[in-house]
């Protein structure tokens, strides 16, 4: 069969974002595990804060449509999201909410329904952003994404990455790899 | 390939439990969708309230071991659970917690890890028990169960079942069938 | 003692936002219950999507500081928030996350810690936005807001408001009033 | 005014339960903070797993009625609950569900509505049982308990207690004291 297609991105687009680094490192692992992977930076898909009046006047932003088309062209999502006040980032929630306004072939939630997803998180602290993933998981599940039960929160992430972008610590790396490999395998099976 | 094996049960074992009826009706649908289905009544697997002292003295109950073996012999779970005070029933939580004490081939959470599951709920009220499933989903996900995003809460369930145990209302029936069919398909694919 | 000071706002700033109407009607009720109430429209406090790079370069927006000062001058929050994809709106999450960047007298989370809050939701559908409040409640609790257990989700809200902005249906009105009165009483007691 | 009355107990009744020790130590702190405190061991209030058929035949157990009367006679709850599979213990959920069957003066949820509560957790591991409290908090909030936002999860609890039952580590002790003191103050104010 064809390679499963994975779209990888982070819920933050700060230049030095630890979660962007993590999504990037995980994307490489997904390639090694046999997937075709596209890494995107949400910086390149700027959208205004969702507002019904804005949508009524201007429609859905072009950046939303571009990301929507990318979502349609992929089978699974690899998302690294920081925890802001114990929950999802406004950036990721805003992106999801805009994407949920578009249909494909008349089908609602076409960007999400039936996709697989794996969740990762990185943070400078010890917990690694674990609590934020609870809300991200719940939101994605409610829009029909098959979020795999495995996830990983990478703590002390300021020191986690080598110069080439890979995860230095062997056991931390293995934990992320295990999540990523499971995503690739699950996506392969569910799309067979 | 072989038929996917589904274990169906309810989170209540009251004689006239609406969720037992729903699990039973859903089990029949899973058979129609190509699965091999075992329906069990938790009444037949009585366990004391979990207590570490009890376990130290008596070990894990035989009923837990029997249900554990059944879990090992199945690929997916079809669970109908009522909502008690906006959450899981003590019966289902207690059963899960006892089962989680047993290992297979040294592996923890062997009753759960890698299984698929679909969640249903029935209630006499309008909401159908939706809030309880949030906790059940979170608990199962945390013990590595692949809970499919689709679920159904059957409201006004006192009048929902025909004499032969099937769901009378055509559209309610179709919604449950859609969840059950997705579970069977997902289980088939993930175990291929 | 002095009147408790309540700040009322909605998690949406659409012109015809049902939640803005609900927050406005509830603000009036809070006045009747003996509070001093300020109603604000988040439209008047526009903030960019939170981004650490933006903050590093530009600092916290003036609008955030203005809203922060307003928060400091009030004892309780009355928030009506729509449900977007089963969760909080990006607007409300973004506002909370920006506000959480400011300290008062060196204290973190000064806009939130020790405040009381009541949550309301309005939606055109039957459920009224109940699921979204679960995340809002969890987020506010984690930043030390005393969210009262009472809440109300106003369903079928398209037809709920009279021309003068009050809630037409007597029993729906009474349910909202009960939440608002409890907020005012609780705020009064906790600040005595 | 009168002293606030606090009922303290743990969600486990194992003889050497860390959470029982924590509830006991916290009860002492609540006394020091000016409350009248009753400590109970759920071991002394054994109840069968909730089952509607059992209730139909036998009514509510006497132990439930005794604990219910105790709840009515107190203003606030101090609960230390371990995390079982990322959620509430069957013992605590079962106790809550039985208690919720009884009314006082015709009022439902009389054991809970209007009470304050503080949540603590102890565990031998690093996280201290934090995830379990999320479900306990959500359940109590839904039955109208005013759960204060402050909580504490005591990690590495095997080594946390001195021979006299107090918490040895000064900073861990201070964190628990801060939660307990806030509970006592809040209960005092809300019952003034």
């Amino acid at each position: 069969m064809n390679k499963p297609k994975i779209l990888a991105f982070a819920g933050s687009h700060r230049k030095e974002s630890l979660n962007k680094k993590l999504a990037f490192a995980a994307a490489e692992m997904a390639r090694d595990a046999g997937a075709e992977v596209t890494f995107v930076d949400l910086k390149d898909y700027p959208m205004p804060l969702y507002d019904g009046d804005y949508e009524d006047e201007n429609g859905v932003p072009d950046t939303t449509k571009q990301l929507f088309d990318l979502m349609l062209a992929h089978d699974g999502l690899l998302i690294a999201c920081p925890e802001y006040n114990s929950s999802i980032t406004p950036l990721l929630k805003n992106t999801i909410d805009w994407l949920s306004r578009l249909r494909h072939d008349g089908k609602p939630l076409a960007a999400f329904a039936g996709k697989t997803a794996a969740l990762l998180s990185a943070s400078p602290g010890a917990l690694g952003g674990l609590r934020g993933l609870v809300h991200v998981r719940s939101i994605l599940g409610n829009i029909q994404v098959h979020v795999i039960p495995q996830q990983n929160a990478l703590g002390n992430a300021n020191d986690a990455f080598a110069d080439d972008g890979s995860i230095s610590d062997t056991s931390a790396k293995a934990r992320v790899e295990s999540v990523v490999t499971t995503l690739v395998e699950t996506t392969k099976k569910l799309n067979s």
Side-chain angles (χ1 to χ4, degrees), chain A:
Chain A
M1 66 155 281
N2 292 326
K3 287 180 164 196
K5 295 193 181 69
I6 305 285
L7 186 66
F9 57 93
S12 158
H13 56 33
R14 207 162 49 87
K15 223 174 294 169
E16 294 299 320
S17 163
L18 294 169
N19 282 278
K20 219 153 76 177
K21 289 182 188 176
L22 179 54
F24 196 83
E28 199 54 38
M29 292 173 184
R31 275 182 208 105
D32 290 344
E36 206 178 304
V37 184
T38 310
F39 174 86
V40 297
D41 187 335
L42 293 186
K43 192 87 185 169
D44 299 327
Y45 300 86
M47 307 173 196
L49 261 171
Y50 181 80
D51 170 7
D53 287 339
Y54 178 97
E55 189 185 2
D56 287 348
E57 275 173 50
N58 307 284
V60 170
D62 284 344
T63 47
T64 309
K65 288 178 195 159
Q66 290 155 14
L67 189 55
F68 182 79
D69 287 343
L70 259 182
M71 300 279 284
L72 289 184
H74 288 79
D75 309 309
L77 309 173
L78 186 47
I79 304 175
C81 190
E83 172 186 314
Y84 285 8
N85 290 313
S86 76
S87 183
I88 194 171
T89 60
L91 173 66
L92 181 54
K93 187 58 169 47
N94 193 52
T95 304
I96 289 172
D97 289 346
W98 271 115
L99 285 169
S100 75
R101 303 298 296 165
L102 291 170
R103 289 166 177 252
H104 181 69
D105 282 349
K107 275 183 245 159
L109 299 176
F112 302 104
K115 297 249 174 307
T116 50
L119 304 183
L120 301 169
S121 182
S123 90
L127 292 188
L130 207 57
R131 291 181 311 170
L133 296 188
V134 173
H135 286 191
V136 178
R137 176 177 291 276
S138 144
I139 292 163
L140 291 176
N142 274 306
I143 49 179
Q144 306 301 314
V145 175
H146 215 111
V147 187
I148 65 169
Q150 294 78 6
Q151 65 181 34
N152 191 262
L154 181 71
N156 308 312
N158 272 333
D159 305 319
F161 298 97
D163 287 345
D164 66 352
S166 66
I167 299 172
S168 323
D169 182 69
T170 320
S171 73
K173 189 179 177 180
R175 282 195 299 273
V176 176
E177 267 171 352
S178 163
V179 173
V180 171
T181 309
T182 305
L183 173 68
V184 173
E185 288 307 310
T186 305
T187 309
K188 202 183 290 180
K189 286 177 178 172
L190 288 182
N191 289 280
S192 64

